[in-house]
Amino acid sequence: QVQLAESGGGSVQAGGSLRLSCVASGFTYSRYCMGWFRQSPEKEREGVAMITNSGNTVYADAVKGRFTISQDNAKYTLYLQMNSLKPEDTGTYYCAAGRPWYCSLSYRDYMAYWGKGTLVTVSS
């Protein structure tokens, strides 16, 4: 059974920080590109950040410099450190896994696995 279990969401004020975690199971983690996507009533699901097994990262312009994606391959865990949060960061954050050739924020529709999401609310 493939599972991606997100945690760490919550409600914070603008300028605050949150750290999201995603524990993967049921598939060979090292063979996938891991990423975070987010969705809100105002926006369709969009890519936030992705990381390859070798550690290469890519970020959406909206979060660059504020968010950091990382992973612990030995523990099959993906992280997203979110600093200087803004109200526009509000949304449900989803952990996703894609095969190496789909390791891009533009390949939202080609992710192999998705978590159920964790809600992040940033108030002004």
Side-chain angles (χ1 to χ4, degrees):
Q1 180 181 344
V2 172
Q3 284 192 301
L4 292 175
E6 303 102 329
S7 63
S11 181
V12 299
Q13 291 188 327
S17 299
L18 285 173
R19 190 191 193 202
L20 307 183
S21 297
C22 171
V23 180
S25 62
F27 66 99
T28 305
Y29 185 92
S30 63
R31 296 169 66 179
Y32 289 79
C33 180
M34 303 298 296
W36 291 95
F37 292 75
R38 66 186 181 187
Q39 184 175 349
S40 72
E42 302 174 345
K43 298 180 179 179
E44 63 181 21
R45 193 170 300 187
E46 62 181 0
V48 175
M50 295 196 80
I51 186 168
T52 68
N53 191 55
S54 61
N56 292 323
T57 60
V58 61
Y59 298 90
D61 289 341
V63 307
K64 195 172 299 181
R66 299 187 296 118
F67 292 10
T68 301
I69 187 171
S70 62
Q71 63 189 343
D72 185 335
N73 291 334
K75 297 181 178 180
Y76 313 124
T77 303
L78 179 73
Y79 304 97
L80 183 67
Q81 178 65 47
M82 305 186 294
N83 298 325
S84 301
L85 284 162
K86 303 175 180 179
E88 49 263 47
D89 293 319
T90 293
T92 299
Y93 284 69
Y94 299 88
C95 174
R99 292 179 172 84
W101 49 94
Y102 292 133
C103 196
S104 170
L105 296 177
S106 298
Y107 285 104
R108 175 197 65 192
D109 298 337
Y110 298 90
M111 294 295 103
Y113 309 118
W114 290 93
K116 293 183 178 180
T118 183
L119 181 63
V120 171
T121 301
V122 184
S123 62
S124 60

